Amino acid sequence: QKIYTKIKGPVQKEDWAGLVYGISSKNCEGGYVGETKQLLNIRCNQHKDDIIKNSANTALSEDVKETGH
C-alpha cells in the first residue's frame, strides 16, 4: 500500500495569484510595481491591452502614454 500521493510539478509564474510583481523598462530608470489578486498572466495581459488601447487605467499605462516607452 502506498502512503505517498503523486506530487504535482511546480506552478508556473504566470499561474501565480495574490502577489506583488514588478515590471522594468529598458528605456526608463524606474519601473512599475503592482499588486494583484488575479493570475499574473491575466493581469499582464490587461496591462498590454491598456497600452495598446492607449488608455490610462493604471500608472504603468499612463506612464507609457506620457513618455512613449
Short mmCIF file of all heavy atoms in Angstrom, two decimals:
data_model
loop_
_atom_site.label_atom_id
_atom_site.label_comp_id
_atom_site.label_asym_id
_atom_site.label_seq_id
_atom_site.Cartn_x
_atom_site.Cartn_y
_atom_site.Cartn_z
N GLN A 1 0.84 -1.18 0.00
CA GLN A 1 0.00 0.00 0.00
C GLN A 1 0.89 1.25 0.00
O GLN A 1 1.82 1.36 0.78
CB GLN A 1 -0.91 -0.01 1.24
CG GLN A 1 -1.77 1.19 1.34
CD GLN A 1 -2.64 1.14 2.60
OE1 GLN A 1 -2.53 0.24 3.41
NE2 GLN A 1 -3.47 2.12 2.74
N LYS A 2 0.56 2.19 -0.88
CA LYS A 2 1.33 3.45 -0.96
C LYS A 2 0.83 4.43 0.09
O LYS A 2 -0.37 4.59 0.28
CB LYS A 2 1.19 4.08 -2.34
CG LYS A 2 1.84 3.30 -3.44
CD LYS A 2 1.72 4.05 -4.74
CE LYS A 2 2.41 3.30 -5.85
NZ LYS A 2 2.35 4.02 -7.11
N ILE A 3 1.78 5.07 0.74
CA ILE A 3 1.39 6.09 1.72
C ILE A 3 1.62 7.50 1.19
O ILE A 3 1.20 8.47 1.79
CB ILE A 3 2.14 5.90 3.06
CG1 ILE A 3 3.65 5.95 2.85
CG2 ILE A 3 1.70 4.62 3.73
CD1 ILE A 3 4.44 5.94 4.14
N TYR A 4 2.30 7.61 0.04
CA TYR A 4 2.56 8.91 -0.56
C TYR A 4 1.67 9.09 -1.78
O TYR A 4 1.38 8.16 -2.51
CB TYR A 4 4.03 9.03 -1.00
CG TYR A 4 4.99 8.95 0.15
CD1 TYR A 4 5.73 7.80 0.38
CD2 TYR A 4 5.15 10.02 1.01
CE1 TYR A 4 6.62 7.73 1.44
CE2 TYR A 4 6.03 9.96 2.07
CZ TYR A 4 6.76 8.81 2.28
OH TYR A 4 7.64 8.74 3.33
N THR A 5 1.27 10.32 -2.01
CA THR A 5 0.50 10.63 -3.21
C THR A 5 1.44 11.18 -4.27
O THR A 5 2.57 11.56 -3.98
CB THR A 5 -0.59 11.68 -2.91
OG1 THR A 5 0.04 12.86 -2.46
CG2 THR A 5 -1.57 11.18 -1.88
N LYS A 6 0.96 11.23 -5.47
CA LYS A 6 1.75 11.78 -6.56
C LYS A 6 1.93 13.28 -6.34
O LYS A 6 0.96 14.01 -6.11
CB LYS A 6 1.04 11.53 -7.89
CG LYS A 6 1.84 11.93 -9.09
CD LYS A 6 1.14 11.54 -10.37
CE LYS A 6 1.98 11.91 -11.55
NZ LYS A 6 1.35 11.52 -12.81
N ILE A 7 3.15 13.74 -6.40
CA ILE A 7 3.45 15.15 -6.16
C ILE A 7 3.31 15.91 -7.48
O ILE A 7 3.80 15.48 -8.52
CB ILE A 7 4.87 15.32 -5.60
CG1 ILE A 7 4.96 14.61 -4.25
CG2 ILE A 7 5.24 16.79 -5.49
CD1 ILE A 7 6.34 14.60 -3.65
N LYS A 8 2.64 17.04 -7.40
CA LYS A 8 2.47 17.89 -8.59
C LYS A 8 3.76 18.63 -8.88
O LYS A 8 4.57 18.89 -7.99
CB LYS A 8 1.35 18.91 -8.36
CG LYS A 8 -0.01 18.31 -8.22
CD LYS A 8 -1.03 19.41 -8.04
CE LYS A 8 -2.41 18.84 -7.92
NZ LYS A 8 -3.41 19.89 -7.77
N GLY A 9 3.93 19.00 -10.13
CA GLY A 9 5.09 19.79 -10.53
C GLY A 9 4.96 21.21 -10.03
O GLY A 9 3.92 21.62 -9.53
N PRO A 10 6.02 22.01 -10.18
CA PRO A 10 5.97 23.40 -9.73
C PRO A 10 4.97 24.22 -10.55
O PRO A 10 4.72 23.93 -11.71
CB PRO A 10 7.39 23.90 -9.97
CG PRO A 10 7.99 22.96 -10.95
CD PRO A 10 7.28 21.65 -10.78
N VAL A 11 4.40 25.21 -9.92
CA VAL A 11 3.44 26.09 -10.57
C VAL A 11 4.22 27.14 -11.37
O VAL A 11 5.17 27.74 -10.87
CB VAL A 11 2.53 26.78 -9.53
CG1 VAL A 11 1.58 27.76 -10.20
CG2 VAL A 11 1.77 25.74 -8.73
N GLN A 12 3.84 27.35 -12.63
CA GLN A 12 4.49 28.34 -13.48
C GLN A 12 4.21 29.74 -12.94
O GLN A 12 3.13 30.00 -12.41
CB GLN A 12 3.99 28.22 -14.92
CG GLN A 12 4.26 26.87 -15.54
CD GLN A 12 5.74 26.59 -15.68
OE1 GLN A 12 6.52 27.46 -16.03
NE2 GLN A 12 6.14 25.36 -15.39
N LYS A 13 5.15 30.65 -13.11
CA LYS A 13 5.00 32.01 -12.59
C LYS A 13 3.74 32.69 -13.09
O LYS A 13 3.07 33.42 -12.37
CB LYS A 13 6.21 32.86 -12.95
CG LYS A 13 7.44 32.51 -12.16
CD LYS A 13 8.59 33.43 -12.53
CE LYS A 13 9.83 33.03 -11.76
NZ LYS A 13 10.98 33.85 -12.10
N GLU A 14 3.38 32.47 -14.37
CA GLU A 14 2.20 33.14 -14.92
C GLU A 14 0.90 32.62 -14.31
O GLU A 14 -0.15 33.21 -14.48
CB GLU A 14 2.16 33.02 -16.44
CG GLU A 14 2.20 31.63 -16.98
CD GLU A 14 3.59 31.09 -17.22
OE1 GLU A 14 4.59 31.77 -16.91
OE2 GLU A 14 3.68 29.97 -17.73
N ASP A 15 0.97 31.51 -13.58
CA ASP A 15 -0.21 30.96 -12.91
C ASP A 15 -0.29 31.35 -11.44
O ASP A 15 -1.16 30.87 -10.72
CB ASP A 15 -0.23 29.43 -13.05
CG ASP A 15 -0.43 28.98 -14.49
OD1 ASP A 15 -1.10 29.71 -15.24
OD2 ASP A 15 0.06 27.91 -14.85
N TRP A 16 0.63 32.21 -10.99
CA TRP A 16 0.60 32.68 -9.61
C TRP A 16 -0.49 33.73 -9.46
O TRP A 16 -0.80 34.48 -10.37
CB TRP A 16 1.91 33.29 -9.21
CG TRP A 16 3.06 32.32 -9.09
CD1 TRP A 16 3.02 30.97 -9.24
CD2 TRP A 16 4.41 32.65 -8.81
NE1 TRP A 16 4.26 30.44 -9.07
CE2 TRP A 16 5.14 31.44 -8.80
CE3 TRP A 16 5.07 33.83 -8.57
CZ2 TRP A 16 6.51 31.41 -8.54
CZ3 TRP A 16 6.43 33.79 -8.33
CH2 TRP A 16 7.13 32.59 -8.30
N ALA A 17 -1.08 33.81 -8.28
CA ALA A 17 -2.10 34.82 -7.99
C ALA A 17 -1.86 35.35 -6.58
O ALA A 17 -1.21 34.70 -5.76
CB ALA A 17 -3.49 34.23 -8.11
N GLY A 18 -2.41 36.53 -6.30
CA GLY A 18 -2.29 37.14 -4.98
C GLY A 18 -0.85 37.50 -4.66
O GLY A 18 -0.30 37.05 -3.68
N LEU A 19 -0.26 38.34 -5.52
CA LEU A 19 1.15 38.65 -5.33
C LEU A 19 1.48 40.08 -5.71
O LEU A 19 0.68 40.80 -6.28
CB LEU A 19 2.03 37.70 -6.14
CG LEU A 19 1.69 37.50 -7.62
CD1 LEU A 19 2.37 38.51 -8.49
CD2 LEU A 19 2.09 36.11 -8.02
N VAL A 20 2.69 40.48 -5.36
CA VAL A 20 3.25 41.77 -5.76
C VAL A 20 4.23 41.46 -6.88
O VAL A 20 5.01 40.52 -6.79
CB VAL A 20 3.97 42.46 -4.58
CG1 VAL A 20 4.65 43.73 -5.03
CG2 VAL A 20 2.99 42.73 -3.45
N TYR A 21 4.21 42.25 -7.94
CA TYR A 21 5.05 42.00 -9.11
C TYR A 21 5.67 43.29 -9.58
O TYR A 21 5.21 44.37 -9.25
CB TYR A 21 4.23 41.36 -10.25
CG TYR A 21 3.10 42.24 -10.74
CD1 TYR A 21 3.27 43.05 -11.85
CD2 TYR A 21 1.89 42.29 -10.07
CE1 TYR A 21 2.25 43.88 -12.29
CE2 TYR A 21 0.87 43.10 -10.51
CZ TYR A 21 1.05 43.90 -11.62
OH TYR A 21 0.05 44.73 -12.05
N GLY A 22 6.74 43.17 -10.34
CA GLY A 22 7.42 44.34 -10.86
C GLY A 22 7.65 44.21 -12.35
O GLY A 22 7.88 43.12 -12.85
N ILE A 23 7.57 45.33 -13.05
CA ILE A 23 7.84 45.38 -14.49
C ILE A 23 8.90 46.45 -14.70
O ILE A 23 8.71 47.60 -14.31
CB ILE A 23 6.56 45.72 -15.29
CG1 ILE A 23 5.50 44.64 -15.05
CG2 ILE A 23 6.88 45.85 -16.77
CD1 ILE A 23 4.15 44.95 -15.68
N SER A 24 10.01 46.05 -15.28
CA SER A 24 11.08 47.01 -15.53
C SER A 24 11.04 47.48 -16.98
O SER A 24 10.40 46.86 -17.82
CB SER A 24 12.44 46.38 -15.23
OG SER A 24 12.63 45.24 -16.03
N SER A 25 11.73 48.58 -17.24
CA SER A 25 11.77 49.15 -18.57
C SER A 25 13.22 49.35 -19.00
O SER A 25 14.04 49.81 -18.20
CB SER A 25 11.04 50.50 -18.59
OG SER A 25 11.24 51.16 -19.81
N LYS A 26 13.52 49.03 -20.23
CA LYS A 26 14.86 49.25 -20.76
C LYS A 26 15.11 50.74 -21.01
O LYS A 26 16.24 51.19 -21.03
CB LYS A 26 15.05 48.48 -22.08
CG LYS A 26 15.04 47.00 -21.92
CD LYS A 26 15.19 46.32 -23.26
CE LYS A 26 15.09 44.82 -23.11
NZ LYS A 26 15.21 44.13 -24.40
N ASN A 27 14.05 51.51 -21.21
CA ASN A 27 14.17 52.92 -21.58
C ASN A 27 13.98 53.87 -20.41
O ASN A 27 14.06 55.07 -20.59
CB ASN A 27 13.14 53.26 -22.65
CG ASN A 27 13.30 52.40 -23.89
OD1 ASN A 27 14.40 52.13 -24.32
ND2 ASN A 27 12.19 51.97 -24.45
N CYS A 28 13.71 53.35 -19.23
CA CYS A 28 13.36 54.20 -18.10
C CYS A 28 14.08 53.67 -16.86
O CYS A 28 14.16 52.46 -16.67
CB CYS A 28 11.85 54.15 -17.92
SG CYS A 28 11.14 55.52 -17.04
N GLU A 29 14.59 54.55 -16.02
CA GLU A 29 15.24 54.12 -14.79
C GLU A 29 14.27 53.45 -13.84
O GLU A 29 14.60 52.49 -13.18
CB GLU A 29 15.90 55.31 -14.09
CG GLU A 29 17.20 55.73 -14.70
CD GLU A 29 17.87 56.81 -13.87
OE1 GLU A 29 17.68 56.84 -12.64
OE2 GLU A 29 18.59 57.63 -14.46
N GLY A 30 13.12 54.00 -13.74
CA GLY A 30 12.13 53.46 -12.83
C GLY A 30 11.48 52.21 -13.38
O GLY A 30 11.80 51.73 -14.45
N GLY A 31 10.60 51.69 -12.62
CA GLY A 31 9.83 50.52 -13.03
C GLY A 31 8.43 50.64 -12.48
O GLY A 31 8.06 51.68 -11.92
N TYR A 32 7.68 49.61 -12.64
CA TYR A 32 6.31 49.59 -12.14
C TYR A 32 6.18 48.44 -11.17
O TYR A 32 6.61 47.32 -11.47
CB TYR A 32 5.34 49.42 -13.31
CG TYR A 32 3.90 49.28 -12.88
CD1 TYR A 32 3.14 50.40 -12.54
CD2 TYR A 32 3.29 48.04 -12.80
CE1 TYR A 32 1.82 50.28 -12.14
CE2 TYR A 32 1.96 47.91 -12.40
CZ TYR A 32 1.24 49.03 -12.07
OH TYR A 32 -0.06 48.90 -11.67
N VAL A 33 5.61 48.71 -10.01
CA VAL A 33 5.33 47.67 -9.04
C VAL A 33 3.83 47.65 -8.84
O VAL A 33 3.20 48.68 -8.61
CB VAL A 33 6.05 47.94 -7.69
CG1 VAL A 33 5.66 46.90 -6.66
CG2 VAL A 33 7.55 47.96 -7.89
N GLY A 34 3.26 46.47 -8.99
CA GLY A 34 1.82 46.33 -8.84
C GLY A 34 1.49 45.18 -7.91
O GLY A 34 2.34 44.36 -7.56
N GLU A 35 0.25 45.13 -7.49
CA GLU A 35 -0.24 44.05 -6.64
C GLU A 35 -1.52 43.56 -7.27
O GLU A 35 -2.35 44.34 -7.73
CB GLU A 35 -0.50 44.58 -5.23
CG GLU A 35 -0.97 43.54 -4.27
CD GLU A 35 -1.15 44.08 -2.85
OE1 GLU A 35 -1.05 45.30 -2.66
OE2 GLU A 35 -1.40 43.27 -1.97
N THR A 36 -1.69 42.25 -7.32
CA THR A 36 -2.89 41.69 -7.93
C THR A 36 -3.36 40.45 -7.19
O THR A 36 -2.54 39.71 -6.63
CB THR A 36 -2.66 41.37 -9.42
OG1 THR A 36 -3.88 40.92 -9.99
CG2 THR A 36 -1.60 40.30 -9.61
N LYS A 37 -4.66 40.26 -7.20
CA LYS A 37 -5.24 39.02 -6.68
C LYS A 37 -5.56 38.08 -7.84
O LYS A 37 -5.91 36.94 -7.63
CB LYS A 37 -6.50 39.33 -5.87
CG LYS A 37 -6.20 40.08 -4.60
CD LYS A 37 -7.44 40.34 -3.80
CE LYS A 37 -7.07 41.11 -2.54
NZ LYS A 37 -8.22 41.42 -1.71
N GLN A 38 -5.41 38.60 -9.06
CA GLN A 38 -5.68 37.81 -10.25
C GLN A 38 -4.46 36.95 -10.60
O GLN A 38 -3.38 37.14 -10.03
CB GLN A 38 -5.95 38.74 -11.44
CG GLN A 38 -7.12 39.67 -11.24
CD GLN A 38 -7.25 40.58 -12.43
OE1 GLN A 38 -7.51 40.12 -13.53
NE2 GLN A 38 -7.08 41.87 -12.22
N LEU A 39 -4.63 36.06 -11.55
CA LEU A 39 -3.49 35.33 -12.08
C LEU A 39 -2.57 36.32 -12.76
O LEU A 39 -3.02 37.26 -13.41
CB LEU A 39 -3.93 34.26 -13.08
CG LEU A 39 -4.75 33.10 -12.54
CD1 LEU A 39 -5.21 32.20 -13.67
CD2 LEU A 39 -3.95 32.31 -11.51
N LEU A 40 -1.27 36.14 -12.60
CA LEU A 40 -0.30 37.09 -13.13
C LEU A 40 -0.41 37.24 -14.64
O LEU A 40 -0.34 38.35 -15.15
CB LEU A 40 1.12 36.67 -12.75
CG LEU A 40 2.24 37.60 -13.17
CD1 LEU A 40 2.04 39.00 -12.61
CD2 LEU A 40 3.58 37.04 -12.73
N ASN A 41 -0.63 36.15 -15.37
CA ASN A 41 -0.71 36.27 -16.83
C ASN A 41 -1.94 37.07 -17.25
O ASN A 41 -1.88 37.83 -18.21
CB ASN A 41 -0.69 34.90 -17.51
CG ASN A 41 -1.91 34.06 -17.22
OD1 ASN A 41 -2.55 34.21 -16.18
ND2 ASN A 41 -2.21 33.14 -18.10
N ILE A 42 -3.04 36.98 -16.52
CA ILE A 42 -4.23 37.77 -16.84
C ILE A 42 -3.95 39.25 -16.59
O ILE A 42 -4.28 40.10 -17.41
CB ILE A 42 -5.44 37.28 -16.01
CG1 ILE A 42 -5.87 35.90 -16.51
CG2 ILE A 42 -6.60 38.28 -16.09
CD1 ILE A 42 -6.95 35.25 -15.68
N ARG A 43 -3.31 39.56 -15.46
CA ARG A 43 -3.02 40.97 -15.14
C ARG A 43 -2.04 41.56 -16.16
O ARG A 43 -2.21 42.71 -16.59
CB ARG A 43 -2.43 41.09 -13.73
CG ARG A 43 -2.30 42.53 -13.29
CD ARG A 43 -3.68 43.17 -13.17
NE ARG A 43 -3.57 44.59 -12.96
CZ ARG A 43 -4.02 45.52 -13.80
NH1 ARG A 43 -4.62 45.18 -14.91
NH2 ARG A 43 -3.89 46.79 -13.51
N CYS A 44 -1.02 40.80 -16.55
CA CYS A 44 -0.06 41.30 -17.54
C CYS A 44 -0.75 41.54 -18.88
O CYS A 44 -0.46 42.53 -19.56
CB CYS A 44 1.10 40.33 -17.69
SG CYS A 44 2.21 40.36 -16.27
N ASN A 45 -1.67 40.67 -19.25
CA ASN A 45 -2.42 40.87 -20.49
C ASN A 45 -3.29 42.12 -20.42
O ASN A 45 -3.45 42.84 -21.41
CB ASN A 45 -3.27 39.65 -20.82
CG ASN A 45 -2.45 38.50 -21.34
OD1 ASN A 45 -1.37 38.69 -21.89
ND2 ASN A 45 -2.94 37.29 -21.17
N GLN A 46 -3.83 42.42 -19.24
CA GLN A 46 -4.61 43.65 -19.08
C GLN A 46 -3.72 44.87 -19.26
O GLN A 46 -4.12 45.85 -19.89
CB GLN A 46 -5.27 43.68 -17.70
CG GLN A 46 -6.39 42.67 -17.56
CD GLN A 46 -6.90 42.57 -16.13
OE1 GLN A 46 -6.21 42.95 -15.17
NE2 GLN A 46 -8.10 42.04 -15.98
N HIS A 47 -2.51 44.82 -18.71
CA HIS A 47 -1.56 45.92 -18.91
C HIS A 47 -1.26 46.09 -20.40
O HIS A 47 -1.26 47.21 -20.92
CB HIS A 47 -0.25 45.67 -18.16
CG HIS A 47 -0.32 45.92 -16.69
ND1 HIS A 47 -0.72 47.11 -16.14
CD2 HIS A 47 -0.02 45.12 -15.64
CE1 HIS A 47 -0.67 47.04 -14.83
NE2 HIS A 47 -0.24 45.84 -14.49
N LYS A 48 -0.99 45.00 -21.10
CA LYS A 48 -0.70 45.07 -22.53
C LYS A 48 -1.87 45.67 -23.30
O LYS A 48 -1.68 46.53 -24.17
CB LYS A 48 -0.39 43.68 -23.08
CG LYS A 48 0.93 43.13 -22.63
CD LYS A 48 1.12 41.70 -23.14
CE LYS A 48 2.32 41.04 -22.53
NZ LYS A 48 2.44 39.63 -22.93
N ASP A 49 -3.10 45.24 -22.97
CA ASP A 49 -4.28 45.78 -23.64
C ASP A 49 -4.43 47.28 -23.39
O ASP A 49 -4.76 48.04 -24.30
CB ASP A 49 -5.55 45.05 -23.18
CG ASP A 49 -5.66 43.64 -23.71
OD1 ASP A 49 -4.93 43.30 -24.67
OD2 ASP A 49 -6.46 42.86 -23.16
N ASP A 50 -4.20 47.71 -22.15
CA ASP A 50 -4.27 49.14 -21.82
C ASP A 50 -3.27 49.95 -22.64
O ASP A 50 -3.58 51.03 -23.13
CB ASP A 50 -4.00 49.37 -20.33
CG ASP A 50 -5.15 48.95 -19.44
OD1 ASP A 50 -6.26 48.70 -19.98
OD2 ASP A 50 -4.95 48.87 -18.22
N ILE A 51 -2.06 49.42 -22.80
CA ILE A 51 -1.03 50.11 -23.55
C ILE A 51 -1.40 50.16 -25.04
O ILE A 51 -1.28 51.21 -25.67
CB ILE A 51 0.34 49.44 -23.33
CG1 ILE A 51 0.78 49.68 -21.88
CG2 ILE A 51 1.38 49.96 -24.31
CD1 ILE A 51 1.94 48.83 -21.43
N ILE A 52 -1.88 49.06 -25.58
CA ILE A 52 -2.28 49.01 -26.99
C ILE A 52 -3.43 49.99 -27.26
O ILE A 52 -3.45 50.69 -28.26
CB ILE A 52 -2.67 47.58 -27.40
CG1 ILE A 52 -1.41 46.69 -27.44
CG2 ILE A 52 -3.38 47.55 -28.74
CD1 ILE A 52 -1.70 45.21 -27.54
N LYS A 53 -4.39 50.05 -26.32
CA LYS A 53 -5.55 50.93 -26.48
C LYS A 53 -5.24 52.38 -26.11
O LYS A 53 -6.09 53.24 -26.21
CB LYS A 53 -6.70 50.42 -25.61
CG LYS A 53 -7.26 49.09 -26.07
CD LYS A 53 -8.32 48.59 -25.11
CE LYS A 53 -8.79 47.21 -25.51
NZ LYS A 53 -9.71 46.63 -24.50
N ASN A 54 -3.99 52.61 -25.62
CA ASN A 54 -3.55 53.95 -25.24
C ASN A 54 -4.42 54.54 -24.13
O ASN A 54 -4.68 55.73 -24.10
CB ASN A 54 -3.51 54.88 -26.46
CG ASN A 54 -2.58 56.04 -26.26
OD1 ASN A 54 -1.63 55.96 -25.49
ND2 ASN A 54 -2.85 57.14 -26.94
N SER A 55 -4.84 53.68 -23.21
CA SER A 55 -5.66 54.15 -22.09
C SER A 55 -4.76 54.42 -20.89
O SER A 55 -3.60 54.02 -20.86
CB SER A 55 -6.72 53.11 -21.74
OG SER A 55 -6.12 51.94 -21.24
N ALA A 56 -5.28 55.09 -19.91
CA ALA A 56 -4.51 55.43 -18.71
C ALA A 56 -5.21 54.84 -17.49
O ALA A 56 -5.47 55.53 -16.52
CB ALA A 56 -4.35 56.93 -18.59
N ASN A 57 -5.47 53.54 -17.53
CA ASN A 57 -6.17 52.88 -16.42
C ASN A 57 -5.27 52.59 -15.23
O ASN A 57 -5.75 52.43 -14.12
CB ASN A 57 -6.81 51.58 -16.89
CG ASN A 57 -7.96 51.82 -17.85
OD1 ASN A 57 -8.60 52.86 -17.82
ND2 ASN A 57 -8.21 50.87 -18.72
N THR A 58 -3.97 52.49 -15.47
CA THR A 58 -3.01 52.21 -14.39
C THR A 58 -1.83 53.18 -14.53
O THR A 58 -1.66 53.82 -15.56
CB THR A 58 -2.47 50.77 -14.46
OG1 THR A 58 -1.71 50.61 -15.65
CG2 THR A 58 -3.58 49.74 -14.40
N ALA A 59 -1.02 53.24 -13.47
CA ALA A 59 0.17 54.10 -13.53
C ALA A 59 1.10 53.65 -14.64
O ALA A 59 1.74 54.47 -15.30
CB ALA A 59 0.89 54.06 -12.19
N LEU A 60 1.15 52.34 -14.89
CA LEU A 60 2.01 51.82 -15.96
C LEU A 60 1.54 52.30 -17.33
O LEU A 60 2.33 52.85 -18.10
CB LEU A 60 2.02 50.29 -15.93
CG LEU A 60 2.80 49.61 -17.06
CD1 LEU A 60 4.27 49.96 -16.98
CD2 LEU A 60 2.60 48.11 -17.01
N SER A 61 0.28 52.13 -17.65
CA SER A 61 -0.22 52.55 -18.96
C SER A 61 -0.20 54.07 -19.10
O SER A 61 0.05 54.60 -20.18
CB SER A 61 -1.61 51.99 -19.23
OG SER A 61 -2.54 52.40 -18.26
N GLU A 62 -0.41 54.78 -18.00
CA GLU A 62 -0.34 56.24 -18.02
C GLU A 62 1.09 56.70 -18.34
O GLU A 62 1.30 57.61 -19.14
CB GLU A 62 -0.78 56.82 -16.68
CG GLU A 62 -0.85 58.32 -16.65
CD GLU A 62 -1.41 58.84 -15.33
OE1 GLU A 62 -2.19 58.12 -14.68
OE2 GLU A 62 -1.06 59.96 -14.97
N ASP A 63 2.08 56.04 -17.72
CA ASP A 63 3.48 56.39 -17.98
C ASP A 63 3.85 56.11 -19.43
O ASP A 63 4.50 56.92 -20.08
CB ASP A 63 4.41 55.60 -17.05
CG ASP A 63 5.86 55.98 -17.25
OD1 ASP A 63 6.20 57.16 -17.05
OD2 ASP A 63 6.64 55.09 -17.62
N VAL A 64 3.42 54.98 -19.96
CA VAL A 64 3.70 54.65 -21.36
C VAL A 64 3.05 55.66 -22.28
O VAL A 64 3.65 56.11 -23.26
CB VAL A 64 3.23 53.21 -21.70
CG1 VAL A 64 3.33 52.93 -23.19
CG2 VAL A 64 4.03 52.19 -20.92
N LYS A 65 1.84 56.07 -21.95
CA LYS A 65 1.12 57.06 -22.77
C LYS A 65 1.84 58.40 -22.76
O LYS A 65 1.98 59.05 -23.79
CB LYS A 65 -0.31 57.21 -22.24
CG LYS A 65 -1.19 58.10 -23.06
CD LYS A 65 -2.61 58.13 -22.51
CE LYS A 65 -3.50 59.01 -23.35
NZ LYS A 65 -4.88 58.99 -22.87
N GLU A 66 2.35 58.80 -21.59
CA GLU A 66 3.01 60.10 -21.48
C GLU A 66 4.42 60.11 -22.06
O GLU A 66 4.84 61.10 -22.66
CB GLU A 66 3.08 60.52 -19.99
CG GLU A 66 1.73 60.90 -19.41
CD GLU A 66 1.82 61.24 -17.93
OE1 GLU A 66 2.93 61.24 -17.36
OE2 GLU A 66 0.76 61.48 -17.34
N THR A 67 5.17 59.03 -21.85
CA THR A 67 6.58 59.02 -22.26
C THR A 67 6.82 58.34 -23.61
O THR A 67 7.87 58.53 -24.20
CB THR A 67 7.45 58.29 -21.20
OG1 THR A 67 7.05 56.92 -21.13
CG2 THR A 67 7.34 58.95 -19.85
N GLY A 68 5.89 57.53 -24.03
CA GLY A 68 6.04 56.82 -25.29
C GLY A 68 6.91 55.58 -25.20
O GLY A 68 7.26 54.98 -26.19
N HIS A 69 7.24 55.17 -23.98
CA HIS A 69 8.00 53.92 -23.80
C HIS A 69 7.63 53.23 -22.52
O HIS A 69 6.97 53.73 -21.68
CB HIS A 69 9.50 54.13 -23.86
CG HIS A 69 10.06 55.11 -22.86
ND1 HIS A 69 10.28 54.79 -21.55
CD2 HIS A 69 10.44 56.40 -23.00
CE1 HIS A 69 10.80 55.83 -20.93
NE2 HIS A 69 10.89 56.83 -21.77
#
